[in-house]
Amino acid sequence: MKELLNFIEEMSFVRVAGSQEERRAGELIMREVNLAAEEAGREDIRGEYMPFGIPYAEVAKCSVQAAGREIYCTPFLRSGNIDAECDLVYLEDASEINFAVKGDLEGKAVLLNKPTDEETYKRLVEHKVAAFLVMQGKYYLSGEEVSLYPKRLREHLSRNGLIPGFTIPSAEALRLVQEGVDKVHLTLEQEDTEPESRNISAVIEGTDRKEESIVLTAHYDSVPVGTGSWDNATGAAALLAIFKHFAAHPARRTLRFLWCGSEEQGLLGSKAYVEQNKEMLDKFVFCFNFDMCGTALGANKICVTGEKELQTFVEQYCKISGYPAVIGVGVHSSDSAPFCDNEIPALGLGRETSTAEIHTIHDLIPTLSEKAIQENVEFAVRIIGDVANAAVIPVKKGMPEETKKELDKYFHREEKKKEEERENK
């Protein structure tokens, strides 16, 4: 395999879920997987594409016009269509008081400070608003600098009904409010599609405890802006380096490597894998996830999702191995989450920094360091090897009650559970 930073540079291009560019990135990973297997003399190991469909949309028109000018905007995909002039109302945080004070909102467009949660969105539906606009970025940033890109209206919102949605720069929102603009012409014409995305899987069978599996994940797609160098070409490359090591030095337990597509669209790749392999999940004893590592400046980070003993294990392991890391506890907003939702304990290994940005035009190569990536990989190989070769897995399966509640919130099951409770009363 090439040096890590060279491979990350090769992967550094926009590779949106379901696109030809995501497919090309997957082919680069597949090339390295099969090459590593060949170099290790392992004819039994080959990469496998695992396709799945994703909800998306093709946009024909998207326009926000107000006060005689065109306003830079991007749409919420799968939010519906509109072509109308509407009264514009600034609804701030869309609190209960905001709704009460503003009165009748039927047929009006509402400007919000931020994307809505399900409770707020349901209120928008109940008040029959025609469309919503949210703002992004600082007041001094242009449309391009804000890094706007189309986002899908997630299912926990759309299941309550469709409201056409737009994102505009905060600078434009500020101008609309300060000028007292009360009319806006909105156009959104889109058609739902279901392109194909792909996971890439490679399995290294265990030597004598092969019935137990450890899954190792990293996503390889990106958002539509920047090159996704940090998020997450670094994680995809780190997982390749780890795969190369264990292809030559197999562990006692089976290692299932998974490069996930469509993570940026809501963990769609890891969710699809879990759904496609439900019958195997009882044999999965651990998950390691790699999302964003290798920044030159910053600190190593480990996200712990599991019982208290997992946190204790990691804290002591870092002391023993001399690996400094910021250790957090909770649900990692990445591809380990669907596995944790099935009682599989997980560690998210990465590196954080305040000097670089993800999901923007600034997610680029210059923030990264070959040395830092290599250190992240070396630690990962060590801890994975020790867990995979352990006489007994050092932590049990299962999630504490507070983590289960956090998972319910993360996967937007709270409102649904509340409705079921109300119906059962």
Side-chain angles (χ1 to χ4, degrees), residues 11-202:
M11 281 277 290
S12 290
F13 54 88
V14 174
R15 43 194 192 279
V16 178
S19 68
Q20 287 300 315
E21 290 75 22
E22 186 196 45
R23 181 172 289 263
R24 178 160 67 95
E27 289 168 354
L28 293 175
I29 292 169
M30 182 68 82
R31 177 196 72 195
E32 295 296 327
V33 165
N34 290 334
L35 179 60
E38 289 173 10
E39 290 177 348
R42 297 295 300 269
E43 295 183 0
D44 59 318
I45 302 174
R46 283 295 178 271
E48 176 189 2
Y49 289 120
M50 305 180 73
F52 57 95
I54 63 171
Y56 213 70
E58 290 292 334
V59 178
K61 296 178 183 177
C62 179
S63 172
V64 174
Q65 297 176 326
R69 66 180 185 272
E70 186 79 25
I71 292 176
Y72 192 93
C73 68
T74 56
F76 277 81
L77 304 176
R78 290 193 165 225
S79 67
N81 297 309
I82 188 173
D83 186 8
E85 182 172 82
C86 307
D87 291 339
L88 179 64
V89 177
Y90 178 38
L91 205 57
E92 299 179 355
D93 281 328
S95 68
E96 186 177 4
I97 297 174
N98 288 141
F99 278 99
V101 170
K102 296 299 181 183
D104 182 22
L105 294 173
E106 184 172 355
K108 296 178 180 178
V110 297
L111 173 64
L112 306 169
N113 290 339
K114 57 188 177 183
T116 66
D117 57 25
E118 186 169 5
E119 184 179 356
T120 302
Y121 187 85
K122 287 172 74 173
R123 284 187 187 148
L124 296 176
V125 173
E126 290 165 1
H127 283 77
K128 299 180 180 179
V129 304
F132 69 92
L133 298 89
V134 297
M135 61 189 81
Q136 180 175 314
K138 304 297 184 182
Y139 78 92
Y140 49 82
L141 297 177
S142 68
E144 183 179 349
E145 290 170 332
V146 169
S147 298
L148 300 188
Y149 58 87
K151 300 178 178 69
R152 190 176 86 257
L153 188 70
R154 297 296 172 88
E155 287 74 11
H156 68 284
L157 301 180
S158 63
R159 67 191 178 196
N160 297 290
L162 296 182
I163 306 175
F166 303 79
T167 306
I168 63 174
S170 295
E172 292 288 0
L174 177 64
R175 188 173 174 186
L176 289 173
V177 171
Q178 288 184 333
E179 292 178 358
V181 175
D182 60 1
K183 296 282 186 184
V184 63
H185 192 106
L186 303 172
T187 303
L188 179 53
E189 183 181 323
Q190 59 179 324
E191 182 177 352
D192 291 353
T193 61
E194 190 173 307
E196 182 181 277
S197 183
R198 299 188 295 185
N199 291 327
I200 300 161
S201 172

Side-chain angles (χ1 to χ4, degrees), residues 206-265:
T207 56
D208 67 312
R209 298 295 297 273
K210 63 183 70 176
E211 71 282 358
E212 292 183 326
S213 289
I214 294 172
V215 62
L216 304 100
T217 57
H219 77 91
Y220 69 94
D221 64 312
S222 77
V223 298
V225 294
T227 62
S229 301
W230 182 25
D231 183 19
N232 185 36
T234 57
L239 193 57
L240 277 170
I242 295 162
F243 171 81
K244 182 175 182 179
H245 170 84
F246 285 105
H249 307 91
R252 298 181 68 193
R253 290 173 177 83
T254 297
L255 300 180
R256 298 183 181 275
F257 289 80
L258 183 68
W259 289 266
C260 299
S262 301
E263 187 265 1
E264 300 289 5
Q265 294 298 317

Side-chain angles (χ1 to χ4, degrees), residues 348-360:
L349 303 181
R351 188 168 167 84
E352 62 182 6
T353 180
S354 61
T355 63
E357 296 178 316
I358 62 168
H359 299 179
T360 73

Side-chain angles (χ1 to χ4, degrees), residues 381-401:
V381 165
R382 180 173 176 178
I383 191 170
I384 292 165
D386 285 344
V387 171
N389 289 312
V392 178
I393 292 292
V395 296
K396 62 185 177 183
K397 292 184 70 171
M399 294 289 145
E401 285 304 313

